[in-house]
Amino acid sequence: MRVLGVDPGLTRCGLGVVDGGLGRSVSCVAVDVVRTPVDAALPRRLLQVSEAVDAWLDTHTPEVVAIERVFSQHNVRTVMGTAQVSGVVAVCAARRNLPVAFHTPSEVKAAVTGSGRADKAQVTTMVTRLLRLAKAPSPADAADALALAICHLWREPMRARLAEAEAKAAELARTHRARLAEAAARRRDDRTGTGLTS
Amino acid sequence: MRVLGVDPGLTRCGLGVVDGGLGRSVSCVAVDVVRTPVDAALPRRLLQVSEAVDAWLDTHTPEVVAIERVFSQHNVRTVMGTAQVSGVVAVCAARRNLPVAFHTPSEVKAAVTGSGRADKAQVTTMVTRLLRLAKAPSPADAADALALAICHLWREPMRARLAEAEAKAAELARTHRARLAEAAARRRDDRTGTGLTS
């Protein structure tokens, strides 16, 4: 499976395409950072990111897009721009009927380093090693995009299995509730029946 | 001038097109609310809003798009979705080279009611009256979209004049600083000259 990982941002938006092979083997297809000028108008900047993502989807034809989930605990101004970029990227994917997955930064860090609290340097080191890259991807946004794609490749099978198990459990619960309701209705009928004959 | 006002939202996104006439006269061209299903995936919902906005831009050909500026003080979950919608809408406009303006909720309230702290009912009442509508636009998101368009029509000339004045002032300041620097350089040259002849 081929995944486009996106570390959303206005000033720097990381894009990384990773192929997943047998087991946990992964290989880097492409990685780059889209930059938009800080002094440009916001709609223009968002359009530039949108066009870059469209070009990447055309060139690399990933089967799924994994985007970092944005939290608003951080810097308010930055977060709004980041959220807007993530929305714009999600629409690029949706327009092509590609599935989109959102992963939190700690899910990504945990997937590639084993710790949800790893720092940027550790993530970059692990991404470089896992993808057997000749040199570390730079800036950090590029490494983060690759980490997101790897995280998706490794978590997705587990997530899919979990979703399947949850669906099965929900189905069982529904059946059980239906049987209980049936039994209760039968008891009510029996009682009504008693009432009529008494 | 024709303005498309957008009150961004995932569950309900208000769209309102208003024509500005002489002075402060305004007339309603179209108003509606785009709804997307709460249980649909986020990228799908964003795409639906994007497609609706594209259709409105095709049909009503506004010259500018005014979007409510999102703040992250409120409900964190809602705000992220709202920010994403506003980004997606901004890209729809940018793709057509339409200018985009962002106005804060209090700017909009102040423009149409005279008070930045007006409630939803007051905004709806004033919008209905200003646009001489037979009945109040509903839900509130529809009225808010019209209020945004009116706010833009009324504020824009003042904003443009202010921007022009600021640009002129900056130009004057630049000229003044250049003259000061020139004079300082001349003084330096004079002194160097004196040094050489002494």
Side-chain angles (χ1 to χ4, degrees), chain A residues 177-193:
Chain A
R177 273 198 304 274
R179 280 206 198 124
L180 284 180
E182 225 173 80
R186 217 176 302 125
R187 274 202 302 281
R188 237 189 345 264
D189 288 348
D190 288 353
R191 245 179 281 137
T192 318

Side-chain angles (χ1 to χ4, degrees), chain B residues 10-185:
Chain B
L10 267 177
T11 308
R12 284 183 308 276
C13 180
L15 300 176
V17 179
V18 176
D19 274 344
L22 279 176
R24 285 167 79 88
S25 80
V26 283
S27 62
C28 178
V29 177
V31 61
D32 204 359
V33 160
V34 183
R35 295 167 199 270
T36 72
V38 179
D39 54 351
L42 174 66
R44 237 5 43 226
R45 300 179 77 184
L46 291 170
L47 178 60
Q48 280 179 23
V49 175
S50 173
E51 287 176 343
V53 169
D54 274 332
W56 274 61
L57 294 175
D58 282 340
T59 308
H60 302 294
T61 59
E63 290 143 83
V64 54
V65 178
I67 309 177
E68 187 170 294
R69 191 180 288 282
V70 185
F71 284 107
S72 63
Q73 282 95 319
H74 312 295
N75 183 323
V76 167
R77 269 191 78 95
T78 318
V79 149
M80 299 312 273
T82 309
Q84 289 172 320
V85 170
S86 80
V88 166
V89 173
V91 166
C92 291
R95 197 171 283 129
R96 289 155 198 262
N97 274 313
L98 292 178
V100 178
F102 292 92
H103 298 287
T104 65
S106 54
E107 279 169 354
V108 176
K109 287 173 186 171
V112 299
T113 72
S115 158
R117 307 178 70 184
D119 62 19
K120 290 214 168 276
Q122 288 172 289
V123 171
T124 299
T125 303
M126 280 308 295
V127 164
T128 310
R129 194 182 301 170
L130 291 165
L131 295 169
R132 297 170 308 281
L133 300 174
K135 69 184 189 70
S138 165
D141 316 76
D144 283 347
L146 292 171
L148 258 155
I150 297 172
C151 167
H152 184 77
L153 283 165
W154 289 353
R155 285 179 66 101
E156 187 49 27
M158 200 154 47
R159 201 204 54 74
R161 236 180 297 154
L162 193 68
E164 203 182 308
E166 281 173 348
K168 200 177 271 176
E171 177 57 32
L172 284 173
R174 249 195 312 278
T175 313
H176 181 64
R177 271 198 304 273
R179 280 206 198 123
L180 284 180
E182 225 172 78

Side-chain angles (χ1 to χ4, degrees), chain A:
Chain A
M1 185 162 70
R2 177 168 289 189
V3 181
L4 168 62
V6 181
D7 183 22
L10 267 177
T11 308
R12 285 183 308 276
C13 180
L15 300 175
V17 179
V18 176
D19 275 343
L22 278 177
R24 286 166 79 86
S25 80
V26 283
S27 62
C28 178
V29 177
V31 62
D32 203 358
V33 161
V34 183
R35 294 167 199 271
T36 73
V38 178
D39 55 352
L42 174 66
R44 251 329 77 218
R45 301 179 77 185
L46 291 170
L47 178 60
Q48 281 179 25
V49 175
S50 172
E51 287 176 343
V53 169
D54 273 332
W56 275 60
L57 294 175
D58 282 340
T59 309
H60 302 294
T61 59
E63 290 143 84
V64 54
V65 178
I67 308 176
E68 188 171 292
R69 190 180 289 282
V70 186
F71 284 107
S72 63
Q73 281 95 319
H74 312 296
N75 183 324
V76 168
R77 270 191 77 95
T78 318
V79 149
M80 299 313 273
T82 309
Q84 288 172 320
V85 171
S86 79
V88 166
V89 173
V91 166
C92 291
R95 196 171 284 130
R96 289 155 198 262
N97 273 314
L98 292 178
V100 178
F102 292 92
H103 299 287
T104 66
S106 54
E107 279 169 355
V108 175
K109 288 172 185 174
V112 299
T113 72
S115 157
R117 307 179 69 182
D119 62 19
K120 291 213 168 278
Q122 287 171 289
V123 171
T124 299
T125 303
M126 279 309 295
V127 164
T128 311
R129 192 182 302 170
L130 291 165
L131 295 168
R132 296 169 309 282
L133 300 174
K135 69 183 188 72
S138 164
D141 316 76
D144 282 346
L146 292 171
L148 257 153
I150 297 172
C151 167
H152 184 77
L153 283 164
W154 288 353
R155 285 180 66 101
E156 187 48 29
M158 200 156 44
R159 202 204 53 76
R161 234 180 300 155
L162 194 67
E164 202 182 310
E166 280 172 350
K168 199 178 270 176
E171 177 56 35
L172 284 173
R174 249 196 312 278
T175 314
H176 180 63
R177 273 198 304 274
R179 280 206 198 124
L180 284 180
E182 225 173 80
R186 217 176 302 125
R187 274 202 302 281
R188 237 189 345 264
D189 288 348
D190 288 353
R191 245 179 281 137
T192 318
T194 316
L196 279 173
T197 53
S198 73

